[in-house]
Amino acid sequence: MALFRARFGGIRKAVFSSANIPAAMAVIVIAVGAAFADHQNKVVSDQAARADVLAKVNLIRAKLEGNINGNLQLVQGLVATVVTEPYMGQQRFASLASNLFGRGSQLKNIAGAPDLVISLMYPMDGNEKAIGLDYRKDERQRVAALRARDERELILAGPVDLRQGGQGFVGRIPVFVRSAGNTERFWGIISAVVDVQRLYKASGLLDDDLGIDIALIGKDALGPTGEQFFGNERVAKSNPVTADVLLPSGSWRIAAIPKNGWPSTPDNAWYLRAIMAVAGALVVIPFLVTGRLIGERQRNYAELSRLSRRLELALEASAIGVWEHDLATNELKWDDRVNEIYGKPTGECRGYLDWAGAIHPDDLAGANADFDRATAGGGPYLSEYRIIRPDGEIRHVRSKAIIYRSANDTPKMIGAEWDVTADVLLNKDLVRAKQLSESKNAELESAKARIEHIALHDSLTGLPNRRYLDQVLEDYAANARRAGGYAALLHIDLDRFKHINDTLGHAAGDAMLVHASTVLRSKVDGEGFVARIGGDEFVVLCVAHDDIKQLALLADRVISQMREPVYYQGHRCRFGVSVGIAVDDGKDVEAKHLLVNADIALYRAKSRGRNRYEFFTEAMQSEIVETKRIADEILGGLERNEFIPFYQPQFDAKTLEIVGVEALARWRHPQKGILAPDVFLRIAEELNVVSIIDRNILEQSLLDLEGWSAANLHIPRVSVNVSARRLQDEELIKSLRKLNIKKGTVSFELVESIFLDENDDFVTWNLEQIKALGIDVEIDDFGTGYASIVSLLKLQPRRLKIDRQLVIPIVKSPQRRQVVSSIIEIGKSLGIEVVAEGVETMEHAQTLKSLGCDILQGYAFGQALDADGLKAFVRSRRLRTGRILDEPLRLGRV
């Protein structure tokens, strides 16, 4: 400025002297001008201060927005996983949430609140008090939680006092999951707590070096209408600089002032205004009087003075220094503002070395190159560099100049220079903030990718899971067709896996699953898709061409490899696999049905002995459909009490008196009539309802037995079949006690295969309790299984029944007759009554009687009848008792 004051000072002097104004008036005008200039300088200074504060506020605002939005965006990835796994537990939740607590995060904790009650938390340490918090019952958090649910969007609240201690900003994200009918249901809320102090520190609010006082307004993201929650209340009352911080659901208002307040209006402002008013009057009157004398020249000089003053003020307000460099002599003139920028004293002559010596060594070469380029081309000069002030402070400056040459003068460069340190630092902060935001975005993408990988893969084997299979199945089948082949799916189930898991523990089971996944990967050899879709179930998806033998070969290789022993902690483990194969043969079968068809084929492979493979066929499907139809009818028949007992009488081999009846289950089908067990027993066993049928037959038999007794039919006992599964029922004895069975009136017929030498201890206990209740125990189908003499001695049954397969051939086969004779001898030696079934002719009856058999049962005497039919049979027989006894060979006609 000194440069311009020197240039234009002489002009002012000429104006006043030429106006011939009295000296006193000139002094007043000068004083007023100086006062006015000083006042204007303060106005400009105030504007510069506000601009500086605004720049700092914008930096803090950007950091606040970036930190808040970045933290909450990280949590959105966790929300996406909860939508796909709504029933996840604490361990799974903690595993996913821990990935979000990386470097630079201000997250304090993340909570899951299914049905608005917190039951999931990470980290758990220090946050135990929050478990069980019901948002609906907490006055401080209910409004925000219900608002998030009702508005279906993220709601930011806070700062709030946390139940576990401290303060935080709480972002609540409502979670809605798919339910039946393609609708959505409200799952609950995921809450992310951002630590208040860490957020303030990371955003620069606690930085004392900024030189400003800051206030934050808008608690719960309510913007200017909300409460102030940070800073001194005087900030908002001191004409602050303001800016809005945009949040996911609302905003905050940030306000700031300099720590020492704004530049104040001088105390003598009224005095200056008064002087200006008086001086104005004194100046105006002489000008009016002498205006005509000074004319146009005076007006020109006044305009020039005004322009000079405005230029001075503009330079002061903009903090721009002006310099002039004589390119011939290297003489350099700086005004006061340039000296101030460089930290140099005023009033001294400068040269090129003063300028070059102040430039940072790393920037000197570039600055010189810019200067040389401008002087060589005679063009404009523009450069930016760092300078080192005498006190060691580094500042960034920008310089711009032009070269001019006046008449008879050396070339000179006139330029301006200004301090851009604040802009450079702000840009650096913005770049860092941008890099931080990009880093957090990258972390978010990485976390999202990890979550998606976890959601689509099995954590134990690393294989794709069922969800992944469902996503790729349709495209895989379509691509296979385009390639001229068919998609084939192998459904693989491990045999004996449960045995290994139960005996050696889950760790051993996990090792077997990992081994199986390794085998499948190696056999598919990267040309197919391998997935684990259940506990011990795997799927191989591959492409088949015209010859499907390759699928059979693949299945054989898998089965063969899986048979090899696997060693685990010194144990030699063996297991096998059953394989069901389905092929998309292009007959309009949807790809998703491949798994269903392969599952049907797998069922067939397991039912035929395991350790084998089966291809799906339409006949197989028809059989499955028929089996399902029968299964549904069986379940319905149980509900409608359609399963009833039929009774086949049993006769004393010597007297031919009825000594009991065997209750046989029959199905009274509403359309097909009476059906024998061979129609429904296998499917009933698969449905696990045989024990229910046994119980129903027993209860109906007891009712019929009472009816026969009331009718004086004198049927001593009834034998009922009992399945092995029912003998394992823990409630069996309790239910039998409720029936009040009379001793010796009921026998339980048990298949021989139950009574192996090493039978179940609980079954043995149940049998002892059954005998204690007065219920006889019989062994059915003796001679076809594996019961030993030891088993008979241990069980001590009341009777054993020789199977019809041994009885029927005894008339013609001496060898079979000898076997039956041996069984009868064994029974008699152990005190066990022997019953022969399958007695179809009187020749059978005579032979068995001669061998010593005790009781006979078969079509030679009577077939199975319902309760009423049996009653009629017994009464009819009694009418002819005498004749029958006289003519025993004609009993087959009865």
Side-chain angles (χ1 to χ4, degrees), residues 213-216 228-237 255 257:
D213 287 332
I214 301 171
L216 291 177
Q228 179 174 329
F229 59 88
F230 177 83
N232 196 306
E233 292 184 357
R234 71 179 180 83
V235 174
K237 301 176 182 178
I257 61 173

Side-chain angles (χ1 to χ4, degrees), residues 230-287:
F230 177 83
N232 196 306
E233 292 184 357
R234 71 179 180 83
V235 174
K237 301 176 182 178
S238 303
N239 190 24
V241 170
T242 62
D244 288 332
V245 181
L246 301 181
L247 304 172
S249 60
S251 65
W252 295 333
R253 171 65 59 85
I254 183 171
I257 61 173
K259 281 191 175 295
N260 298 324
W262 302 110
S264 60
T265 304
D267 296 335
N268 61 345
W270 64 271
Y271 177 69
L272 295 175
R273 295 190 185 98
I275 293 177
M276 290 170 63
V278 172
L282 293 175
V283 171
V284 170
I285 294 172
F287 270 120

Side-chain angles (χ1 to χ4, degrees), residues 627 630-631 634-635 638 643 677 679-693 725:
T627 299
I630 296 175
I634 289 173
L635 296 175
L638 287 172
F643 289 89
V679 176
F680 62 84
L681 187 58
R682 180 183 62 83
I683 299 174
E685 288 175 344
E686 293 175 0
L687 291 173
N688 195 23
V689 296
V690 173
S691 59
I692 299 176
I693 295 175
R725 186 177 295 276

Side-chain angles (χ1 to χ4, degrees), residues 52 223 262 368 418 506 510 547 553 566 568 598 835 878:
D52 181 62
W262 302 110
N368 276 325
W418 60 99
H506 291 290
D510 289 346
D547 186 5
L553 292 175
V566 182
Y568 175 77
V835 181
R878 279 186 176 178

Side-chain angles (χ1 to χ4, degrees), residues 49 52-53 56-57 60 204-214 234 256-262:
D52 181 62
V53 173
K56 296 173 180 178
V57 164
I60 294 174
L205 287 170
L206 305 181
D207 190 353
D208 293 332
D209 296 337
L210 290 175
I212 59 176
D213 287 332
I214 301 171
R234 71 179 180 83
I257 61 173
K259 281 191 175 295
N260 298 324
W262 302 110

Side-chain angles (χ1 to χ4, degrees), residues 629-643 667 670 687:
R629 184 188 63 77
I630 296 175
D632 292 339
E633 290 182 353
I634 289 173
L635 296 175
L638 287 172
E639 294 175 356
R640 296 185 293 270
N641 295 319
E642 293 174 359
F643 289 89
W667 182 7
L687 291 173

Side-chain angles (χ1 to χ4, degrees), residues 729-739 765-766 773:
D729 184 0
E730 296 179 356
E731 300 294 322
L732 174 61
I733 303 304
K734 182 178 179 182
S735 65
L736 290 176
R737 287 196 178 106
K738 293 180 181 179
L739 297 176
W765 182 86
N766 260 352
L773 291 174

Side-chain angles (χ1 to χ4, degrees), residues 522-785:
S522 66
K523 296 306 175 186
V524 173
D525 195 22
E527 296 181 359
F529 179 89
V530 182
R532 179 188 176 200
I533 63 171
D536 60 347
E537 296 180 63
F538 296 84
V539 158
V540 172
L541 192 60
C542 56
V543 178
H545 296 281
D546 294 336
D547 186 5
I548 63 172
K549 290 182 180 179
Q550 57 181 321
L551 300 176
L553 292 175
L554 174 60
D556 275 332
R557 290 198 301 270
V558 170
I559 293 171
S560 175
Q561 183 67 37
M562 292 292 190
R563 286 175 179 169
E564 296 296 323
V566 182
Y567 291 90
Y568 175 77
Q569 294 185 352
H571 298 280
R572 191 181 188 189
C573 303
R574 285 184 177 273
F575 62 90
V577 292
S578 299
V579 183
I581 307 173
V583 180
D584 175 22
D585 55 7
K587 295 181 180 179
D588 298 326
V589 176
E590 293 186 23
K592 63 182 180 181
H593 290 160
L594 275 178
L595 186 56
V596 176
N597 295 343
D599 189 51
I600 293 173
L602 173 64
Y603 175 81
R604 173 60 60 85
K606 295 177 80 69
S607 66
R608 290 188 172 179
R610 305 174 184 268
N611 256 339
R612 56 182 293 132
Y613 65 84
E614 290 286 342
F615 279 91
F616 171 80
T617 63
E618 293 182 359
M620 188 184 298
Q621 185 178 30
S622 299
E623 181 181 334
I624 293 296
V625 171
E626 178 65 14
T627 299
K628 183 181 183 304
R629 184 188 63 77
I630 296 175
D632 292 339
E633 290 182 353
I634 289 173
L635 296 175
L638 287 172
E639 294 175 356
R640 296 185 293 270
N641 295 319
E642 293 174 359
F643 289 89
I644 61 173
F646 266 47
Y647 303 99
Q648 187 168 31
Q650 297 174 335
F651 300 86
D652 185 288
K654 295 178 181 178
T655 66
L656 298 180
E657 289 293 328
I658 295 177
V659 293
V661 293
E662 180 183 4
L664 303 169
R666 295 293 186 267
W667 182 7
R668 188 165 52 198
H669 196 280
Q671 285 83 36
K672 299 179 180 179
I674 301 299
L675 301 178
D678 58 345
V679 176
F680 62 84
L681 187 58
R682 180 183 62 83
I683 299 174
E685 288 175 344
E686 293 175 0
L687 291 173
N688 195 23
V689 296
V690 173
S691 59
I692 299 176
I693 295 175
D694 287 350
R695 185 178 68 244
N696 291 345
I697 297 301
L698 172 62
E699 293 174 355
Q700 293 181 58
S701 297
L702 291 174
L703 292 174
D704 290 338
L705 192 61
E706 290 180 4
W708 298 331
S709 177
N712 294 318
L713 295 184
H714 304 296
I715 297 178
R717 61 175 170 78
V718 60
S719 299
V720 296
N721 291 295
V722 178
S723 66
R725 186 177 295 276
R726 194 167 186 221
L727 288 176
Q728 297 171 347
D729 184 0
E730 296 179 356
E731 300 294 322
L732 174 61
I733 303 304
K734 182 178 179 182
S735 65
L736 290 176
R737 287 196 178 106
K738 293 180 181 179
L739 297 176
N740 296 319
I741 299 173
K742 294 180 181 179
K743 183 176 181 179
T745 60
V746 175
S747 291
F748 279 179
E749 290 194 8
L750 315 175
V751 293
E752 181 190 10
S753 58
I754 295 175
F755 306 105
L756 300 178
D757 289 31
E758 299 179 0
N759 55 326
D760 185 270
D761 290 338
F762 182 74
V763 172
T764 302
W765 182 86
N766 260 352
L767 288 170
E768 293 300 325
Q769 295 299 311
I770 288 170
K771 289 192 287 186
L773 291 174
I775 300 173
D776 293 338
V777 174
E778 300 180 10
I779 297 181
D780 194 12
D781 300 334
F782 190 83
T784 61

